Amino acid sequence: MDFLKLVYGGSTGAVFKGPAVDPVELEKLQNRLEEADKWLRQGIDEGNDGFGWLKLPYQQTEHVFEYGNWLGNFENVVQIGIGGSALGNLMLRNALVHPYYNEIPLQKRKGPAFYVADNVDPHGSKSILDVVDISRTALIVVSKSGSTAETMANFLYFFHQLELAVGASMAPDHVLVITDESRGSLRAFAKDTGCRSLTIPSGVGGRYSVLSAVGLVSAVAMGIDIENLLEGAGEVDEKLNSRKVILDNPAWILSALHYLHYRKGRNIDVLMPYSDRLEDFVEWYAQLCAESLGKQGQGFTPVRALGSIDQHSQVQLYTEGPDDKLFTIIEVKRTDNPISIPGVNQPSLKELSYLYEKEMGQMLSYEAMATAAAIYRSGKPVLWIEVEELSPRTLGGMIFFFEYVVALTGRLLEIDPFDQPGVEQGKRYTYGFMGRKGYAEHRREAEDLFHMLNRKSIEL
Ligand code: PA5
């Protein structure tokens, strides 16, 4: 196994209490998957909108390194962005740097402390300012559209603080803008002030942008090996491109199984890694899945779970609740930090001796197996993905793999996995409420709808 192993025996066959997926049904999707793969590859060649992420493993990275290294001049970096302009950064940090990275003393860290301002909850934004010296802080402001209200509001807030701290003329020297080549307020700001800026390639959508400057610049600043990250993504791309028979291609199988189980009423997609380092990967995947596939009355509800914690929270529902979910458990085989559980010389703890000298990571793996077995025993379909280790290379490969699976699944569902009309609707209503010029009609519409909700209410 170079990157991952997909175990899918628990998701086909006649063991289910509910409708089963016959292995023959999988093979019958060969032609449709072949067509979907061709559609993707043709989309890149023709430079179609939304397909640009397939080229990201092969991009030039000089500017990413230049600006990532420039961030090393600061004590802190605050990335301002939301959705696809933030979740990938959090995923990379969670998976590839120390969980308490920001708390490690600056001299021992590989780069500046890293914060993300995504929500417009003043509590979160103010709290960042409580812990950073803004005069020693750089802002990375990321927005594909260059206009998303939350990102703009946080940008104005932090930029103003910078102006107060270092003066209006110096403040732009602390800012890196990552946005569209020509449209939006951020591009105009970069042109006017001459602050540093990078471009999000036009064909790359927000939730597919983690392997562009959006995710890579902060990764370089935190010392993540982005060359290996991209190399892993490229290797997986090549492997997937060389396997055009369904039973030979794990991404095709995964996509087909999602599609087939969905058709049989399982429209909840539970992704449950047994690794703290993949907690934000699941968060990132949830956006990718929901925004790409939730369209035209179709889609999967992504559920973020984490083993073993959710064994003590969700597994009751998973095993004995409704049969409306497809489960995917991820096991990372190698841990960098083994702990041998010590035996202690306390007679009162004798019953715990079954744990003595056992390795804690091994215990986590057994827990993953226990959950898979319990779900399967209850008659529900369960997939298992094994990853040898979590490194920049393997994570890059996994990112590309899941993006490809989601895009293929979108094609099987006959929807466009690269647009997000529902998100845009919410953005228009927000602009309207906040008084943006040209959006008054949207405000009226949203207010009318909201008043309809209010026809019935009750106080306590
Ligand atoms: O995937 C998407 O397109 C969205 O989730 C965006 O990432 C999100 O809405 C933020 O948009 P923008 O980057 O334009 O500010």
Side-chain angles (χ1 to χ4, degrees):
M1 153 180 42
D2 261 353
F3 284 91
L4 55 83
K5 174 165 140 192
L6 172 70
V7 177
Y8 61 101
S11 64
T12 57
V15 291
F16 306 120
K17 289 186 183 148
V21 166
D22 192 309
V24 177
E25 291 178 83
L26 261 188
E27 295 189 58
K28 278 195 183 151
L29 283 175
Q30 168 70 29
N31 290 346
R32 295 205 51 207
L33 284 159
E34 228 174 290
E35 186 282 330
D37 177 74
K38 251 190 212 140
W39 166 76
L40 272 180
R41 311 231 166 245
Q42 228 164 7
I44 329 172
D45 293 343
E46 292 169 4
N48 294 343
D49 205 27
F51 293 72
W53 57 273
L54 285 137
K55 284 202 297 204
L56 291 176
Y58 315 105
Q59 73 197 278
Q60 301 294 323
T61 49
E62 297 90 50
H63 291 309
V64 166
F65 275 109
E66 184 186 335
Y67 293 146
N69 291 331
W70 162 75
L71 291 171
N73 299 322
F74 297 90
E75 259 177 32
N76 314 289
V77 171
V78 179
Q79 174 145 340
I80 301 163
I82 198 162
S85 296
L87 291 170
N89 304 77
L90 292 168
M91 160 180 58
L92 295 180
R93 181 181 68 175
N94 171 228
L96 299 174
V97 304
H98 193 285
Y100 300 108
Y101 173 81
N102 283 354
E103 281 105 292
I104 296 174
L106 183 58
Q107 312 81 304
K108 290 194 190 159
R109 246 193 270 126
K110 286 191 180 151
F114 181 66
Y115 299 89
V116 171
D118 49 3
N119 207 357
V120 279
D121 186 337
H123 177 75
S125 303
K126 269 203 161 141
S127 303
I128 294 177
L129 278 188
D130 288 342
V131 293
V132 304
D133 173 352
I134 192 77
S135 68
R136 295 167 186 270
T137 299
L139 305 180
I140 311 179
V141 49
V142 187
S143 175
K144 176 77 198 289
S145 60
S147 61
T148 301
E150 292 91 331
T151 301
M152 297 306 118
N154 265 322
F155 174 55
L156 292 172
Y157 174 65
F158 282 98
F159 186 67
H160 178 61
Q161 297 298 327
L162 253 184
E163 284 189 321
L164 293 177
V166 302
S169 62
M170 290 302 291
D173 271 354
H174 288 234
V175 177
L176 167 64
V177 159
I178 304 180
T179 191
D180 185 75
E181 192 173 6
S182 55
R183 70 187 171 124
S185 307
L186 286 183
R187 180 52 65 197
F189 172 86
K191 277 193 183 140
D192 275 3
T193 59
C195 76
R196 288 169 178 80
S197 72
L198 286 169
T199 298
I200 305 176
S202 60
V204 180
R207 58 192 173 277
Y208 292 86
S209 68
V210 57
L211 296 180
S212 75
V214 173
L216 297 182
V217 176
S218 65
V220 168
M222 287 183 280
I224 293 171
D225 184 343
I226 64 154
E227 277 171 336
N228 272 331
L229 190 78
L230 294 174
E231 209 173 283
E235 277 181 62
V236 164
D237 178 31
E238 277 163 34
K239 277 178 187 286
L240 295 175
N241 199 13
S242 68
R243 300 192 189 188
K244 306 286 187 189
V245 175
I246 180 163
L247 292 186
D248 194 30
N249 186 319
W252 287 23
I253 294 175
L254 192 57
S255 174
L257 284 170
H258 273 94
Y259 174 75
L260 291 168
H261 281 287
Y262 174 74
R263 287 275 172 256
K264 290 169 199 265
R266 298 186 183 102
N267 60 5
I268 298 178
D269 182 2
V270 180
L271 190 57
M272 188 172 184
Y274 273 71
S275 164
D276 286 354
R277 294 171 63 195
L278 289 177
E279 192 172 2
D280 287 348
F281 181 85
V282 177
E283 202 66 48
W284 166 83
Y285 174 75
Q287 185 209 11
L288 184 70
C289 167
E291 275 189 5
S292 302
L293 304 177
K295 274 155 216 177
Q296 298 173 16
Q298 303 189 84
F300 303 84
T301 302
V303 169
R304 310 117 155 123
L306 181 65
S308 62
I309 291 170
D310 281 309
Q311 273 177 239
H312 307 278
S313 163
Q314 303 297 306
V315 168
Q316 172 60 37
L317 169 77
Y318 294 170
T319 50
E320 295 192 12
D323 183 9
D324 52 5
K325 304 173 193 65
L326 176 61
F327 299 93
T328 307
I329 288 174
I330 304 181
E331 185 206 12
V332 179
K333 292 204 85 68
R334 203 180 317 150
T335 164
D336 305 331
N337 291 309
I339 290 182
S340 174
I341 302 169
V344 294
N345 192 15
Q346 290 286 346
S348 58
L349 299 179
K350 224 173 95 198
E351 257 191 42
L352 306 187
S353 62
Y354 74 99
L355 293 171
Y356 293 178
E357 315 307 333
K358 303 277 169 51
E359 201 280 308
M360 207 181 269
Q362 178 64 60
M363 178 171 171
L364 192 63
S365 289
Y366 285 139
E367 303 247 22
M369 287 167 67
T371 298
I375 292 172
Y376 190 56
R377 180 176 182 272
S378 74
K380 317 271 168 50
V382 59
L383 294 155
W384 175 277
I385 291 179
E386 226 165 86
V387 182
E388 195 60 51
E389 59 167 356
L390 260 188
S391 65
R393 178 175 164 271
T394 57
L395 184 69
M398 277 172 72
I399 290 169
F400 193 92
F401 180 84
F402 277 89
E403 288 176 336
Y404 178 82
V405 168
V406 166
L408 279 194
T409 311
R411 187 66 175 172
L412 292 181
L413 291 172
E414 296 179 19
I415 47 104
D416 178 354
F418 305 133
D419 67 358
Q420 56 283 329
V423 177
E424 306 303 339
Q425 182 61 62
K427 286 188 181 185
R428 283 191 289 275
Y429 286 157
T430 303
Y431 293 146
F433 279 125
M434 295 301 287
R436 185 173 172 185
K437 204 169 154 214
Y439 289 84
E441 194 46 49
H442 295 285
R443 178 186 185 130
R444 268 190 293 280
E445 186 177 299
E447 274 175 351
D448 286 350
L449 291 165
F450 196 71
H451 285 141
M452 288 166 81
L453 301 183
N454 266 300
R455 279 177 308 187
K456 284 185 187 163
S457 65
I458 180 168
E459 291 190 8
L460 182 68

